[in-house]
Amino acid sequence: MYRVRVRSVPPVVLALRRFPNPRLTGIGAGLFAALTMFVLACVDRLLFDGSEFVYGLLFLPVSALTALWVRPADLATAPISVPIAFAVGVFPISGGSEGFGGQTMGLVTALAVHAGWLYGGTLVAGLIATVRKVRQMRARRRYVLAQGRGTAPERAPRASAAGAVAAKPVRAGAAGAGGAGAGARRPQRP
């Protein structure tokens, strides 16, 4: 009898498997991040009077979710769309003065003052996207190697086909007198 080893799965992994696992396109991930950050900034302005610290803390998990939920073909868009989402979301809490110029200056000032959060969220999204891409490349390599092993036995008879030509039976008339023709064969015409 064979013993089967059962690996216990950590509870954290089980909890993470219960989360939704959508696969967003690059544009969908950007829209998700931008809309989520805008809504969170509006909630932050209502509840915490536009606290930049709360907004920055909320930006980090949104960055991580954006990088986790983007589909594998669009992994490069996650670190690009996250800073744009930060800029879209910081608008309600930027606190600029009246007019277009005042609002623009407030937005630029908020982006400059909170660049640490912006870089941190972008780094989180970039690291997650990089790890996912490396895992995808390793899985693809394993798949290709497994496919190569599966077809290797089929290739072996083709390689020994040259040996099979040498082992073909000799025609009855080619043997000649005394079997002298058995050792020396003439090439056959196609």
Side-chain angles (χ1 to χ4, degrees), residues 83-163:
I84 297 168
F86 186 87
V88 167
V90 83
F91 183 73
I93 62 169
S94 63
S97 62
E98 295 297 322
F100 179 73
Q103 291 291 331
T104 304
M105 287 307 296
L107 180 66
V108 170
T109 303
L111 287 174
V113 170
H114 305 295
W117 292 111
L118 177 64
Y119 293 147
T122 305
L123 182 66
V124 166
L127 287 175
I128 291 173
T130 303
V131 168
R132 284 186 62 201
K133 185 66 175 178
V134 168
R135 290 184 67 199
Q136 178 188 8
M137 289 168 47
R138 283 185 181 167
R140 184 177 295 150
R141 182 177 296 145
R142 273 189 242 120
Y143 175 76
V144 167
L145 288 176
Q147 292 296 86
R149 286 187 193 131
T151 58
E154 294 175 10
R155 291 182 186 167
R158 290 183 197 159
S160 64

Side-chain angles (χ1 to χ4, degrees), residues 31-94:
L31 287 174
F32 161 75
L35 290 176
T36 303
M37 290 312 299
F38 186 78
V39 168
L40 288 176
C42 291
V43 170
D44 179 27
R45 184 171 179 169
L46 289 174
L47 298 179
F48 301 105
D49 198 29
S51 171
E52 291 87 8
F53 180 74
V54 172
Y55 179 76
L57 280 179
L58 293 173
F59 176 63
L60 296 177
V62 170
S63 300
L65 287 176
T66 302
L68 285 172
W69 287 351
V70 70
R71 67 183 184 171
D74 295 329
L75 280 173
T77 61
I80 296 168
S81 61
V82 166
I84 297 168
F86 186 87
V88 167
V90 83
F91 183 73
I93 62 169
S94 63

